[in-house]
């Protein structure tokens, strides 16, 4: 995210959204929405999460472990993005 940085003239709304919106995977354990979200918002704007108690934690963990993404991207989605955004 680039919150607080100046918006370049001619920026598209989609550019502004990618810079300022972060989503989680809570409640959605399907590969297509995960891949599409990463494609639409960028790999820095998607984080793994579990909507406990409404979602089965093991089902969500099994899903993200087998999701069709690289190990580097999985690390970013599972913890890297949260560490960066929350300054952990």
């Amino acid at each position: 995210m680039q919150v607080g940085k100046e918006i370049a003239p001619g920026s598209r709304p989609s550019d502004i959204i990618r810079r300022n919106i972060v989503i989680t995977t809570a409640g959605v354990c399907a590969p297509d929405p995960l891949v599409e979200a990463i494609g639409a918002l960028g790999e820095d704007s998607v984080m793994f999460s579990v909507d406990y108690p409404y979602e089965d934690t093991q089902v969500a963990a099994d899903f993200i472990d087998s999701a069709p993404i690289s190990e580097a991207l999985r690390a970013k989605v599972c913890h890297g993005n949260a560490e960066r955004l929350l300054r952990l």
Side-chain angles (χ1 to χ4, degrees):
M1 281 181 62
Q2 302 170 353
V3 176
K5 295 202 178 179
E6 205 162 308
I7 298 170
S11 292
R12 299 174 303 197
S14 57
D15 297 329
I16 296 165
I17 289 169
R18 273 190 216 98
R19 284 178 45 178
N20 295 289
I21 296 195
V22 177
I23 64 168
T24 71
T25 62
V28 182
C29 293
D32 290 342
L34 174 64
V35 171
E36 292 298 323
I38 292 168
L41 294 174
E43 62 185 41
D44 293 331
S45 297
V46 178
M47 297 185 294
F48 172 72
S49 66
V50 178
D51 193 15
Y52 178 83
Y54 305 105
E55 179 180 18
D56 185 293
T57 303
Q58 190 61 56
V59 169
D62 290 344
F63 160 69
I64 200 65
D65 283 343
S66 65
I69 56 177
S70 70
E71 288 305 314
L73 182 51
R74 189 179 335 277
K76 227 177 182 183
V77 169
C78 287
H79 61 87
N81 289 337
E83 290 168 355
R84 178 179 45 82
L85 289 168
L86 302 173
R87 298 181 180 142
L88 300 175

